[in-house]
Amino acid sequence: MSSNKPRTLFEKVWDSHVVQRKENYPDVLYIDTHFIHEVTSPQAFNGLRARGIELARVDQTWGTADHNVPTKDQHLPIKEALSRHQVETLHKNCDEFGVKLYGLGHPFQGIVHVIGPELGVTQPGKTIVCGDSHTSTHGAFGSIAFGIGTSQVEQVMSSQCTLQNKPKAMRIVVDGELQEGITAKDIVLYVISKLSASGGTGYFVEFAGSAIQGLSMEGRMTVCNMSIEMGARGGIIAPDQTTFDYLEGREFSPKGEAWDKSVAYWKSLPTDDGATFDAEHVYDAADIAPMVTYGTNPGMGVGVDQSVPTPESASDKKALEYMGLKEGEAIIGKPIDYVFIGSCTNARIEDLRAVAEFVKGKKKADGVNVWIVPGSKQVEKQAIAEGLDKIYAEAGFELREPGCSACLGMNEDKVPAGMYCISTSNRNFEGRQGPGARTLLASPLTAAAAAVNGHIVDVREQLATV
Amino acid sequence: MKYTKSTCVPLKIENVDTDQIIPARFLKATTKEGFGDNLFRDWRYDKQDQPIADFVLNQDTYKGEILVAGKNFGCGSSREHAAWAIGDYGFKIVVSSFFADIFRGNSLNNGILPLIVSEEFLAELFTDIEADPSTTLEVDLESQTAWISGKENNKQSFEIDDYKKMCLINGYDDIDYLLSLKEEIAQYESNRAYTFNV
């Protein structure tokens, strides 16, 4: 599949993984790394059993328990029977098929998209899949990573390949300087608000430009994490020194000579000059304000200093009704009941540090519940080692144990019906954080500022007064 | 599925995400059966588990094997449970002007046709169903065309790749196909330019 024509990062990685290409057929794409968790794997394991076959590559398969786990008293058995059964089924399946599993109590346990990168399993140039749409997170390393359904989980388990139509390529360039207090989360919420929740459908998106290159690995992961929220199959960012520095020395990163060879290969991956994209969008970083969503999909977001826009369709109107918001209503000043800082979007150590730095010496507003949920055991350990837990405790913030937590209503952490939650997670869908819950997506900084004030504020003004 | 003719259930909402099709709290099963009972659970039932009268699945007026939905159907979570719920409920085809990618793949992998039609055709279909709930849609997979019964002069052609078309028509299995490529896959593994440590 080699050619002299300039190629994109995405094309280089995709084409080097095609086992078979036939016209009018999907590509047979080889998968380097398969992450599994308790929710989307049991039916696939049943499929293997029914066929009487083994897992194709156990060495390339990694399991963790995250969606159903409680974030309190993880040393005790899971109280909810169905959740417990699903996690136990994962343990049984991984045992039977020989899969490495970081279950509850393991020092590497955590949200699948947090542990892959922090363990160095996620690497540039790889193809990575998981039965979870936010697998797009791993694209931050210059890998092709995307979410798959359970039938495809079974495809990968049985053959290490999956049938995929090659998506079109889009480039989103964010150039220039970000204002103070603007984070990766604001960048991606801004882009989705411009492109809509379906603007990236059919595409794999390369994020580029000085504002993207200037992000840390954590920030890049936040951006790629939410590429699925514009409908894109995944996001990808060219690997560079920031990527290599992040990976060096991690548990499963290549070592010694293998490291040098790997870096040399990774340096060949970025998009060639002159390579073409099927679509391209360019944004100025300076235009981006702290973003907050007001509706029921992540594309329904505005700058914090804006007001709720006029609904354009019956679906938009329905969204405002669900949210209990009116057109023309200011975002600033909106009282909130819950603050959730966590999820595969924003539960990395950098997110927790940013929150701690902001709230140090401050207190949460009365009547607001604040949940800080680290993305993994390692993040939790690091946060405690740095004393962040004490800062949170003084502020009245609750530091819980790792898991998907209040991002989705599968575990015990739910936002009650009608309540407003400012959340660093990725989805504001109806009922996502619990039936009737009203979610406003924002950055960890904006969420922390709302926790302290009891309502939404412009974090830029708060930083100016520090 | 070569040819289907059915009345339709209209769901005139855009950006229907898979959290609405099947909320997360119903994803705890470890088998594929029974998800239809909770299809659109929070739009279909109130907090006391009583059917919400004006939701379309609770109206006797609308029945059929075809669900017609607004654009960007199936966005959000990759949960295949959404396709299982739609199939288990009895839908064989979902019509929209636009589907989210993962949902589209999941549907095809479960024998459900995500039928992509133009905005104009979708609008006409909604109008016809609202005017007359006995409106039927005919879908011919072989010729890749769909039309509203009685409006054969306005056939909508749709795209589907040859492989998926063959799978839908023959009930063919992706995994059988991949397992038949064992040698090619082994060859790829031994030849690839770069081998990852893990």
Side-chain angles (χ1 to χ4, degrees):
Chain A
M1 303 263 162
S2 68
S3 121
N4 293 326
K5 134 180 168 334
R7 291 189 303 161
T8 65
L9 162 63
F10 168 70
E11 278 179 299
K12 291 181 197 182
V13 181
W14 184 281
D15 289 349
S16 69
H17 286 82
V18 173
V19 172
Q20 188 187 74
R21 177 171 287 166
K22 275 208 289 198
E23 206 183 331
N24 246 323
Y25 269 60
D27 283 349
V28 176
L29 191 73
Y30 189 81
I31 299 304
D32 295 309
T33 297
H34 186 196
F35 292 113
I36 62 172
H37 60 85
E38 75 276 14
V39 184
T40 53
S41 68
Q43 293 86 353
F45 277 115
N46 289 346
L48 292 189
R49 249 181 238 114
R51 285 171 199 270
I53 55 175
E54 297 291 305
L55 214 74
R57 301 291 308 211
V58 280
D59 53 329
Q60 292 170 213
T61 312
W62 312 72
T64 188
D66 53 8
H67 286 61
N68 278 282
V69 306
T71 58
K72 272 183 153 178
D73 296 328
Q74 287 187 346
H75 59 289
L76 299 176
I78 300 175
K79 276 187 230 147
E80 217 261 315
L82 288 173
S83 291
R84 190 174 62 243
H85 175 66
Q86 208 172 41
V87 171
E88 284 172 359
T89 303
L90 177 72
H91 278 258
K92 256 192 259 168
N93 284 332
C94 287
D95 256 8
E96 182 184 335
F97 287 88
V99 178
K100 292 171 286 299
L101 172 66
Y102 305 141
L104 279 181
H106 193 286
F108 293 162
Q109 181 267 335
I111 306 175
V112 58
H113 312 307
V114 174
I115 68 168
E118 80 182 3
L119 291 172
V121 179
T122 302
Q123 294 169 20
K126 276 188 166 185
T127 49
I128 299 174
V129 294
C130 174
D132 187 290
S133 58
H134 292 107
T135 309
S136 60
T137 312
H138 308 262
F141 290 79
S143 53
I144 287 183
F146 54 87
I148 54 177
T150 300
S151 295
Q152 291 166 316
V153 169
E154 194 180 331
Q155 289 176 18
V156 178
M157 283 180 172
S158 52
S159 69
Q160 206 55 34
C161 291
T162 168
L163 294 164
Q164 294 289 329
N165 289 306
K166 189 177 177 180
K168 288 181 284 184
M170 180 188 283
R171 179 157 59 186
I172 293 176
V173 179
V174 187
D175 266 326
E177 289 274 323
L178 293 167
Q179 300 172 40
E180 200 191 349
I182 306 303
T183 68
K185 182 62 161 288
D186 300 302
I187 297 177
V188 72
L189 283 173
Y190 177 82
V191 170
I192 303 168
S193 77
K194 295 287 174 195
L195 282 176
S196 88
S198 61
T201 304
Y203 291 93
F204 214 93
V205 177
E206 177 170 348
F207 291 95
S210 59
I212 299 292
Q213 284 163 333
L215 294 173
S216 64
M217 283 317 294
E218 282 88 347
R220 294 176 189 190
M221 284 187 251
T222 301
V223 170
C224 287
N225 175 275
M226 290 198 69
S227 55
I228 184 74
E229 308 306 339
M230 61 182 90
R233 207 69 179 82
I236 193 166
I237 294 174
D240 60 9
Q241 198 57 45
T242 303
T243 321
F244 312 146
D245 291 345
Y246 178 95
L247 282 174
E248 195 165 12
R250 291 192 182 259
E251 186 79 18
F252 296 103
S253 289
K255 308 274 177 340
E257 199 189 331
W259 171 259
D260 296 336
K261 274 191 185 161
S262 298
V263 172
Y265 173 65
W266 298 343
K267 283 182 173 168
S268 74
L269 293 173
T271 295
D272 300 328
D273 288 340
T276 53
F277 291 83
D278 300 297
E280 183 149 11
H281 301 276
V282 181
Y283 301 103
D284 184 348
D287 292 342
I288 305 175
M291 294 292 294
V292 180
T293 63
Y294 58 87
T296 55
N297 74 57
M300 300 173 82
V302 288
V304 68
D305 47 2
Q306 312 263 290
S307 49
V308 176
T310 306
E312 285 174 10
S313 66
S315 300
D316 288 357
K317 216 176 265 174
K318 183 175 180 291
L320 291 193
E321 272 167 30
Y322 179 85
M323 291 300 293
L325 294 171
K326 290 189 180 62
E327 66 171 293
E329 190 174 342
I331 298 288
I332 287 181
K334 182 78 205 164
I336 45 112
D337 309 296
Y338 281 77
V339 177
F340 170 56
I341 293 164
S343 86
C344 57
T345 318
N346 282 117
R348 299 180 179 82
I349 190 66
E350 184 180 276
D351 302 311
L352 268 61
R353 282 180 190 142
V355 169
E357 192 183 343
F358 181 85
V359 305
K360 195 168 187 176
K362 301 188 181 88
K363 280 219 181 317
K364 76 170 178 75
D366 289 340
V368 178
N369 293 293
V370 188
W371 296 340
I372 312 237
V373 185
S376 71
K377 284 310 271 186
Q378 295 209 88
V379 170
E380 180 188 31
K381 198 174 149 193
Q382 181 73 24
I384 292 169
E386 293 179 16
L388 307 188
D389 56 331
K390 294 191 181 67
I391 296 171
Y392 297 147
E394 279 163 23
F397 290 14
E398 191 182 347
L399 179 67
R400 298 168 80 109
E401 293 173 86
C404 294
S405 186
C407 174
L408 85 173
M410 273 203 89
N411 51 72
E412 294 157 6
D413 303 348
K414 291 182 183 67
V415 174
M419 296 281 179
Y420 288 94
C421 177
I422 191 157
S423 172
T424 68
S425 55
N426 35 50
R427 287 181 173 149
N428 49 354
F429 298 152
E430 286 185 29
R432 174 78 179 177
Q433 294 194 279
R438 290 159 162 171
T439 303
L440 301 111
L441 302 175
S443 76
L445 261 184
T446 296
V452 168
N453 290 277
H455 55 261
I456 295 175
V457 295
D458 188 336
V459 73
R460 289 171 298 189
E461 288 166 15
Q462 305 259 315
L463 292 170
T465 60
V466 171
Chain B
M1 146 198 319
K2 274 187 188 155
Y3 166 84
T4 306
K5 178 180 179 179
S6 172
T7 50
C8 307
V9 178
L11 185 68
K12 207 175 173 181
I13 302 172
E14 292 171 7
N15 298 312
V16 174
D17 59 78
T18 54
D19 272 78
Q20 308 318 313
I21 300 173
I22 185 92
R25 61 189 188 279
F26 300 113
L27 306 186
K28 297 182 186 186
T30 52
T31 63
K32 293 183 183 177
E33 288 77 40
F35 286 101
D37 293 345
N38 295 312
L39 176 67
F40 295 116
R41 181 78 200 192
D42 293 338
W43 288 350
R44 201 168 142 195
Y45 298 100
D46 64 17
K47 285 189 196 86
Q48 286 72 46
D49 288 333
Q50 294 305 307
I52 296 170
D54 63 356
F55 184 62
V56 70
L57 293 194
N58 295 326
Q59 297 171 2
D60 287 335
T61 325
Y62 302 110
K63 292 269 179 258
E65 295 181 343
I66 299 176
L67 177 68
V68 184
K71 72 173 177 208
N72 199 28
F73 187 80
C75 59
S77 161
S78 61
R79 60 188 69 163
E80 193 160 312
H81 313 65
W84 298 336
I86 285 171
D88 189 54
Y89 184 82
F91 291 118
K92 298 204 161 53
I93 296 172
V94 185
V95 181
S96 181
S97 55
F98 203 94
F99 288 94
D101 281 335
I102 303 180
F103 175 79
R104 201 166 139 248
N106 286 342
S107 299
L108 288 165
N109 286 338
N110 286 281
I112 298 162
L113 174 65
L115 177 58
I116 306 168
V117 297
S118 66
E119 291 283 348
E120 295 73 31
F121 189 88
L122 185 67
E124 185 182 341
L125 185 54
F126 273 129
T127 306
D128 285 9
I129 298 167
E130 277 165 13
D132 178 7
S134 71
T135 298
T136 61
L137 185 71
E138 297 180 55
V139 180
D140 182 42
L141 188 53
E142 207 91 63
S143 66
Q144 296 177 220
T145 50
W147 62 94
I148 299 166
S149 299
K151 290 185 169 181
E152 283 77 6
N153 57 338
N154 183 23
K155 283 196 176 171
Q156 176 82 187
S157 61
F158 60 90
E159 287 187 18
I160 180 167
D161 70 50
D162 292 351
Y163 173 75
K164 275 297 162 198
K165 184 173 166 180
M166 177 193 79
C167 289
L168 278 180
I169 290 176
N170 302 323
Y172 198 78
D173 189 318
D174 282 337
I175 294 174
D176 291 336
Y177 178 66
L178 285 170
L179 290 175
S180 76
L181 299 175
K182 232 176 185 159
E183 272 176 38
E184 287 86 345
I185 296 167
Q187 190 75 33
Y188 172 85
E189 284 179 326
S190 57
N191 284 355
R192 62 190 172 143
Y194 181 83
T195 307
F196 294 95
N197 290 50
V198 293

